Amino acid sequence: MSGSFAAEVRARARMAAAALEAARRDDDVDALMLAEGEWEEVMRLANVHGVRLDPDGAEPGPGSAT
């Protein structure tokens, strides 16, 4: 696995976390469902490829329990 792949997974995790926060803040159920799906996909990719996510870039997950 390349460092650029891991960096891209981490960037996606940061974007997914930001989307989750925005959807919760805006109380947007549709956006929340999409953001949760993206978060789960990023977590799956990270797990499968052994990418360790930065606490400041990958937290909090859905429900802040990830």
Side-chain angles (χ1 to χ4, degrees):
M1 175 187 52
S2 72
S4 61
F5 176 80
E8 185 61 31
V9 171
R10 289 183 188 107
R12 262 183 85 179
R14 284 189 297 275
M15 290 171 39
L20 278 169
E21 288 180 34
R24 289 179 184 137
R25 181 187 62 239
D26 297 341
D27 204 23
D28 185 338
V29 176
D30 293 328
L32 184 59
M33 288 175 45
L34 289 172
E36 286 177 341
E38 175 65 8
W39 177 259
E40 290 171 4
E41 177 64 12
V42 170
M43 293 298 102
R44 185 191 69 75
L45 277 173
N47 273 336
V48 166
H49 296 285
V51 175
R52 185 174 170 158
L53 298 175
D54 302 325
D56 63 343
E59 303 292 341
S64 299
T66 308

